[in-house]
Amino acid sequence: MAKTTVVRTGTLTEQPRGAKAKAVVGAKARAIAKSEPVAAKKKAGKTVNPLASERVAAILDALRKTYPGVVCALNHKNAWELTVATILSAQCTDVRVNLVTPALFKAFPTPKAMAAASLPELEELIRTTGFFRNKAKSIQGAARVVTEEFGGKVPQTMEEILTLPGVARKTGNVVLGSWYGIAVGVVVDTHVMRLSKRLELTKESAPEKVERDLMKIIPQDRWIAFSHELIHHGRQICVARKPRCVDCTLERLCNSGDKTWSSH
């Protein structure tokens, strides 16, 4: 991954809990869609110049109007809780993680406390998130590194945060962006991957390659919000099967081959 300039968009002191951004739907969604230009297509599934700056700007504009003030959907009160929640979210829904973490953080509220916990205790508390044995080892390992190497505080650089067990670029981008307001990359999860391909913003399948493509075309001061917007849109509107194109504010900009409704 090429080096990038770090952009700080503001450090948060506390995130809203249960922060789910509801998508604009119905007539309001179609009004937003109509305010954007139509992306000309060569044929079904192929847009003429899909990476044109005007089209990318229109996609960002529509997403911003659809999810104003969007934030991370994982419940957390500090950087450590967000780190743990993001590790637990692998192969698991945010809804399930949000059901599990209150009891986990009540029992072990700090990295030091979690580092001293027994693995069976952690495993039982996170069992329903799936792959709970590996995840228990990861969050305990991360707790020990944060406690022993970083004075109990989650580090604020990608290089350092990647030294935590269970933390890859996705988790690093989530924590650095959502908590510290530092834009060093774009979060790429299954939703961001799927929507980026449908919108023809990338042809890649590997997360780091998708991230690299998105970083080239999305302004850095939009990396954090853009990830959240795509994630919310992927969960609520642009779902994997039978996307709700009639309620999609990006519909006129999208020429995906699996659209379920089209105005153009």
Side-chain angles (χ1 to χ4, degrees):
M1 185 65 65
K3 291 184 178 179
T4 59
T5 302
V6 172
V7 171
R8 292 177 181 268
T9 60
T11 300
L12 303 179
T13 56
E14 184 169 351
Q15 286 278 14
R17 300 191 70 81
K20 178 183 178 181
K22 287 190 175 182
V24 175
V25 297
K28 289 184 178 180
R30 288 187 283 279
I32 292 174
K34 288 180 180 179
S35 71
E36 305 297 347
V38 173
K41 60 185 175 183
K42 298 177 183 178
K43 58 182 180 179
K46 297 292 183 181
T47 299
V48 176
N49 197 4
L51 302 183
S53 59
E54 297 84 357
R55 179 174 182 262
V56 173
I59 289 172
L60 293 175
D61 181 66
L63 286 171
R64 178 182 55 80
K65 291 174 180 175
T66 309
Y67 304 98
V70 68
V71 295
C72 181
L74 289 167
N75 292 349
H76 60 283
K77 292 181 179 178
N78 52 55
W80 170 244
E81 289 190 358
L82 181 55
T83 301
V84 173
T86 308
I87 292 172
L88 295 180
S89 71
Q91 304 296 313
C92 181
T93 67
D94 288 350
V95 172
R96 169 55 54 185
V97 173
N98 288 339
L99 291 173
V100 165
T101 50
L104 176 65
F105 295 140
K106 183 177 180 180
F108 308 107
T110 65
K112 184 176 182 180
M114 198 169 290
S118 70
L119 281 176
E121 288 178 300
L122 294 176
E123 289 172 357
E124 187 59 32
L125 286 166
I126 67 172
R127 181 178 295 272
T128 60
T129 66
F131 304 98
F132 62 92
R133 290 190 176 88
N134 286 336
K135 288 180 180 180
K137 292 177 182 177
S138 292
I139 61 177
Q140 185 177 69
R144 287 174 176 167
V145 173
V146 168
T147 301
E148 297 169 6
E149 303 294 331
F150 298 106
K153 295 182 179 180
V154 176
Q156 298 187 39
T157 69
M158 182 63 78
E159 182 180 16
E160 290 176 321
I161 203 169
L162 289 178
T163 65
L164 307 185
V167 173
R169 279 197 65 88
K170 173 193 167 185
T171 299
N173 280 324
V174 170
V175 176
L176 294 174
S178 295
W179 185 259
Y180 291 120
I182 302 174
V184 295
V186 177
V187 175
V188 177
D189 72 346
T190 56
H191 301 291
V192 174
M193 179 89 71
R194 182 175 70 255
L195 271 64
S196 295
K197 286 189 173 183
R198 279 179 172 166
L199 290 168
E200 300 171 81
L201 301 180
T202 185
K203 295 179 181 179
E204 301 291 349
S205 297
E208 287 205 7
K209 291 182 178 180
V210 172
E211 182 184 9
R212 189 179 300 122
D213 283 348
L214 294 176
M215 289 167 68
K216 291 177 182 177
I217 60 174
I218 306 298
Q220 191 171 5
D221 63 0
R222 286 285 278 118
W223 288 353
I224 298 171
F226 173 74
S227 299
H228 292 320
E229 291 160 355
L230 277 196
I231 290 169
H232 283 289
H233 203 62
R235 288 181 181 136
Q236 300 177 60
I237 304 297
C238 195
V239 295
R241 296 182 180 180
K242 295 184 178 179
R244 296 171 52 192
C245 300
V246 70
D247 284 324
C248 182
T249 52
L250 303 175
E251 188 275 322
R252 283 160 59 98
L253 295 161
C254 177
N255 292 310
S256 177
D258 60 352
K259 287 179 69 172
T260 56
W261 180 84
S262 181
S263 65
H264 61 284

